[in-house]
């Protein structure tokens, strides 16, 4: 996992609008997008479809509660 | 299922049962026998009641959380174990519940947030839910309907009469290249299909800038523009057709019918404009406003064809306008602006011919803040108003010179002059005060406490003068929004709520990208403010925002200031000279008489 991910406090939210025919297609596209960005622990927080497409907020968790947090690494008490 | 059948509503939840109470009311009204259990019953207790009461359906509600999916799945298993699963319909509802999840857990149906009771009834009755098409009853409103333009302030009316008479007199026996082109364009539009247009085109090009002539004669496209291909046009047509088949229109307003809500488009590309417009329509925009590029306003003559542009502002051509018009929902109000620039008469002509509903004209703003020579724009605006009358287009009179630093009372004086000129020529003007954090109030401190009083004072002042439609813009909340989309959306929503509370006819709203200048507006940011506004209208309903006593004091001050300015302009006896001399906004205040088109007014 790249440092940029390690420094994410908990999650990456991606908000966008897909031109798509229905909510189901919007969900699939959103999850594919998250996967494409390397966000495996992904879910859809919100999706709303109207005629032209779906506005969607997809979330990829980097650190869930109880994980070892990347953003705590890399420093010492002496620094 | 018979309507006498028993339905058990069970909150499998320690606390929440509101959703079930709402559903119960509808089921009772529909003739079902309902049993609503209190929260915090165990699965065993719920099933015991179901068996004792011989219910035909169990509607379970539960908010998803850790371990809840297992609990819900276990409930289905237990229903099977006690032998009622086959004869009893099971459904689950609550936040985060989706039909697919319900199916996975073994339920017959799942109902998420926003579920309408009719959906549940349809499920109980084994019918497919046919939602009411939202926006089906949406109507295209005439903002000017019902206004008689009667003046309460007779002194102001008298001075406006005097000023407008002098403007009309000044304009006699004069013309401009803009007026000439519009006349030729009218001939081109009326030319029967297949007729030779060479002669008319030559006449048109006589009054155009060199770069426009090069476009027509040599096919030289302007920088950062290109012609859209037939293949692209065909694909766009298909996109619009498919999208229109799926379109439903949200309604933004809640208890009040007003204000009508406009969004602005002008991405540069007519295709992207159409995509943004469709999203705007779907999420409830009542009207859309066409923004053209600023260079177009400084260029003598219009191009032709389907042309895209890489920068802000969508190029006005007959084809671009026609393409946009053909994509609009029949409910959508369409405005094409003609408030500044050298193509003002032709813009209104094209807008009218292409089926626009509204246009925008203001001599004072266009010549003091829009860069066009005052004499030129005065002539052009008069002809533009005549076209607006011919095509039945009401027009708003915007006061954007406030953003340059001109105080509101001076901008309002200019607005009232153009509006009165419009009335004299048979038009239906709409007053457009800004709801903004203007340089004037930044200096005066009149908005240090709140954004309510000064904006309310503007509406109160105008209503004290004339009974005319008012459409604050453009956009509302200008200069209050930041790049933070939450702040930006909330600010727009609150200004919209104020506008609703004041009972104005319409508003123009920004996207949540209003303050971002690094690139084009993205479509989610357009939906942000529509959703925020919808929520604000829902929140306030018929209640009102109460301004402090400052609003009345400032309204009176504004009206007095307007009277004083009009008195000075009337005394000057020459409106165009008054513009040059700063009576409606001076150089010191940030208003600069435009130079574009200077010395182009010709005697007939």
């Amino acid at each position: 996992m790249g440092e940029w991910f390690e420094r994410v406090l908990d999650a990456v939210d991606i908000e966008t609008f897909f031109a798509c025919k229905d909510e189901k297609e919007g969900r699939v596209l959103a999850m594919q997008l998250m996967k494409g960005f390397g966000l495996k622990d992904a879910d859809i927080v919100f999706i709303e479809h109207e005629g032209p497409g779906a506005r969607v907020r997809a979330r990829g968790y980097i650190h869930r509660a109880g994980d070892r947090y990347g953003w705590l690494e890399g420093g010492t008490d002496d620094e | 299922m018979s309507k006498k059948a028993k339905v058990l509503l069970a909150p499998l939840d320690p606390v929440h049962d509101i959703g079930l109470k709402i559903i119960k009311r509808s089921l009772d009204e529909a003739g079902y026998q309902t049993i609503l259990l209190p929260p915090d019953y165990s699965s065993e207790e719920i099933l015991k009641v179901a068996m004792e009461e011989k219910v035909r359906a169990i509607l379970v509600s539960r908010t998803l959380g850790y371990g809840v999916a297992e609990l819900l799945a276990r409930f289905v298993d237990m229903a099977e174990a006690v032998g009622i699963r086959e004869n009893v319909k099971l459904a689950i509802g609550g936040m985060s519940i989706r039909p697919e999840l319900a199916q996975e857990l073994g339920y017959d149906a799942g109902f998420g947030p926003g579920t309408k009771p009719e959906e549940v009834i349809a499920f109980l009755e084994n019918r497919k839910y046919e939602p009411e098409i939202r926006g089906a009853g949406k109507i295209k409103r005439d903002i000017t309907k019902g206004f008689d333009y009667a003046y309460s302030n007779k002194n102001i009316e008298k001075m406006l009469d005097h000023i407008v008479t002098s403007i009309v007199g000044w304009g006699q026996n004069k013309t401009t290249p803009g007026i000439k082109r519009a006349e030729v364009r009218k001939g081109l539009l009326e030319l029967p299909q297949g007729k030779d247009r060479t002669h008319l085109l030559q006449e048109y090009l006589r009054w155009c800038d060199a770069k426009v002539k090069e476009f027509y004669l040599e096919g030289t496209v302007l920088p950062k523009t290109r012609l859209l291909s037939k293949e692209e046009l065909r694909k766009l047509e298909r996109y619009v057709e498919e999208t229109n088949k799926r379109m439903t229109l949200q309604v933004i307003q809640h208890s009040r019918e007003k204000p009508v809500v406009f969004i602005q488009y002008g991405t540069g590309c007519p295709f992207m404009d159409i995509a943004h417009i469709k999203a705007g329509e779907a999420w409830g925009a009542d009207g859309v406003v066409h923004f053209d590029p600023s260079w177009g306003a400084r260029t003598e003559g219009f191009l032709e064809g389907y042309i895209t542009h890489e920068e802000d502002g969508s190029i006005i051509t007959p084809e671009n306008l026609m393409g946009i018009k053909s994509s609009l929902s029949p409910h959508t109000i369409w405005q094409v602006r003609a408030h500044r620039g050298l193509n003002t008469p032709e813009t209104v002509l094209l807008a009218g011919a292409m089926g626009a509903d509204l246009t925008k004209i203001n001599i004072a703003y266009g010549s003091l803040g829009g860069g066009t020579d005052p004499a030129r724009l005065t002539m052009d605006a008069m002809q533009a108003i005549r076209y607006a009358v011919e095509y039945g287009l009401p027009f708003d009179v915007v006061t954007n010179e406030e953003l340059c630093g001109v105080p509101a009372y001076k901008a309002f004086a200019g607005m009232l002059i153009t509006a009165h000129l419009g009335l004299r020529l048979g038009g239906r003007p709409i007053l457009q005060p800004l709801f903004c954090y203007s340089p004037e109030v930044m200096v005066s401190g009149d908005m240090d406490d709140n954004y309510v009083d000064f904006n309310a004072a503007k509406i109160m002042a105008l209503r004290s003068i004339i009974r005319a439609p008012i459409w604050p813009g453009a956009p509302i909340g200008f200069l209050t929004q930041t790049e933070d989309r939450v702040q930006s959306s909330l600010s727009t929503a609150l200004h919209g709520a104020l506008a609703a509370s004041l009972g104005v006819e319409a508003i123009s709203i920004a996207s949540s990208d209003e303050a971002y200048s690094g690139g084009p507006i993205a479509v989610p940011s357009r939906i942000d403010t529509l959703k925020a506004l919808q929520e604000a209208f829902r929140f306030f309903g018929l209640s009102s925002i109460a301004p402090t006593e400052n609003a009345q004091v400032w309204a009176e001050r504004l009206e007095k200031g307007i009277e004083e300015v009009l008195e000075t302009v009337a005394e000057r006896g020459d409106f165009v000279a008054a513009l040059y001399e700063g009576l409606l906004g001076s150089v010191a205040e940030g208003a600069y008489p435009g130079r574009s088109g200077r010395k182009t007014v010709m005697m007939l």
Side-chain angles (χ1 to χ4, degrees), chain B residues 31 179 181 236 296 387 422 463 507 549:
Chain B
I179 294 173
R181 278 196 308 277
L236 175 77
Y387 284 130
R463 285 193 176 140
I507 51 174
E549 62 274 15

Side-chain angles (χ1 to χ4, degrees), chain A residues 32-67:
Chain A
Q32 285 173 338
L33 182 76
M34 299 304 276
K35 200 175 165 191
F37 281 137
L39 295 161
K40 290 169 192 156
D41 184 3
D43 195 10
I44 292 167
V45 178
F46 170 82
I47 186 162
E48 183 183 27
H49 184 272
E50 292 287 349
R55 57 193 287 257
V56 58
R57 181 177 177 197
R59 173 167 299 172
Y61 282 101
I62 307 299
H63 298 114
R64 284 185 181 261
D67 285 351

Side-chain angles (χ1 to χ4, degrees), chain B residues 257-275:
Chain B
E257 288 187 348
K258 297 188 293 187
V260 166
V261 177
F262 286 84
I263 58 168
Q264 305 161 328
Y265 69 86
T267 62
C269 176
F271 285 16
M272 187 63 91
D273 283 343
I274 288 169

Side-chain angles (χ1 to χ4, degrees), chain B residues 300-316:
Chain B
E300 297 271 19
F302 278 144
L303 309 178
E304 287 183 352
Y306 292 98
I307 303 174
T308 184
H309 179 219
E310 292 172 17
E311 293 183 349
D312 269 5
S314 297
I315 297 169
I316 292 179

Side-chain angles (χ1 to χ4, degrees), chain B residues 112-396:
Chain B
T115 296
K116 292 190 166 47
E118 295 77 32
E119 289 179 61
V120 180
I121 293 172
F123 159 70
L124 292 175
E125 294 175 1
N126 295 319
R127 323 187 250 109
K128 190 177 174 217
Y129 174 59
E130 301 285 355
E132 183 191 341
I133 296 171
R134 281 176 293 175
K138 202 166 178 169
I139 53 165
K140 190 189 266 194
R141 292 189 189 283
D142 175 1
I143 297 168
T144 62
K145 194 176 174 186
F147 286 93
D148 60 5
Y149 297 95
Y151 283 86
S152 304
N153 187 323
K154 298 294 178 189
N155 185 39
I156 285 183
E157 181 180 21
K158 193 174 143 196
M159 288 188 288
L160 288 171
D161 267 337
H162 181 76
I163 294 165
V164 163
T165 299
S166 81
I167 295 172
V168 174
W170 173 88
Q172 281 178 350
N173 302 318
K174 291 187 179 77
T175 190
T176 71
I179 294 173
K180 294 299 252 181
R181 278 196 308 277
E183 288 166 1
V184 182
R185 176 65 66 186
K186 199 157 195 281
L188 283 164
L189 290 172
E190 288 166 359
L191 200 66
Q193 190 80 23
K195 282 267 184 187
D196 183 18
R197 56 184 230 138
T198 313
H199 173 69
L200 280 173
L201 195 55
Q202 279 172 350
E203 178 62 15
Y204 184 82
L205 294 181
R206 263 186 72 194
W207 307 104
C208 290
D209 280 348
K211 58 184 173 187
V212 176
K213 287 179 186 164
E214 284 167 18
F215 172 84
Y216 282 92
L217 300 175
E218 295 160 32
T220 312
V221 293
L222 270 59
K224 298 189 175 180
T225 71
R226 73 176 173 90
L227 287 162
L228 292 158
S229 69
K230 280 185 181 169
E231 176 67 8
E232 285 174 308
L233 289 165
R234 199 182 52 75
K235 285 180 179 169
L236 175 77
E237 206 173 305
R238 201 174 59 206
Y239 164 80
V240 172
E241 199 182 310
E242 285 174 5
T243 302
N244 279 342
K245 277 185 204 159
R246 301 193 299 261
M247 282 292 278
T248 55
L249 307 174
Q250 290 196 20
V251 175
I252 288 190
Q253 294 80 6
H254 182 60
S255 301
R256 299 176 196 264
E257 288 187 348
K258 297 188 293 187
V260 166
V261 177
F262 286 84
I263 58 168
Q264 305 161 328
Y265 69 86
T267 62
C269 176
F271 285 16
M272 187 63 91
D273 283 343
I274 288 169
H276 279 222
I277 288 169
K278 298 317 289 177
E281 286 176 336
W283 268 270
D286 301 299
V288 295
V289 182
H290 184 98
F291 268 49
D292 55 319
S294 54
W295 57 260
R298 295 190 301 274
T299 303
E300 297 271 19
F302 278 144
L303 309 178
E304 287 183 352
Y306 292 98
I307 303 174
T308 184
H309 179 219
E310 292 172 17
E311 293 183 349
D312 269 5
S314 297
I315 297 169
I316 292 179
T317 69
E319 291 77 9
N320 277 0
L321 291 184
M322 198 164 53
I324 288 165
K325 168 66 183 174
S326 67
S327 75
L328 295 176
S329 147
H331 309 91
T332 301
I333 309 171
W334 185 35
Q335 183 186 46
V336 180
R337 308 185 312 165
H339 61 314
R340 71 204 198 309
L342 301 175
N343 299 298
T344 294
E346 196 179 348
T347 302
V348 178
L349 172 77
L350 282 177
M354 298 302 157
D357 301 290
L358 295 164
T359 184
K360 181 188 284 282
I361 302 167
N362 187 1
I363 304 169
Y365 165 65
S367 58
L368 296 177
T372 304
D373 174 63
R376 169 66 184 270
L377 194 58
T378 302
M379 279 307 302
D380 283 2
M382 271 195 283
Q383 185 57 36
I385 291 170
R386 290 189 177 101
Y387 284 130
V389 173
E390 184 180 334
Y391 286 98
L393 301 183
F395 61 93
D396 82 67

Side-chain angles (χ1 to χ4, degrees), chain B residues 476 481 487-498 509 529 531-537 540:
Chain B
I476 52 169
Q481 292 109 341
Q487 186 278 342
S488 185
S489 304
L490 181 59
S491 185
T492 290
L494 291 173
H495 281 84
L498 176 62
I509 65 163
T529 47
K531 293 290 287 190
L533 192 61
Q534 190 177 40
E535 197 59 26
F537 288 163
F540 284 100

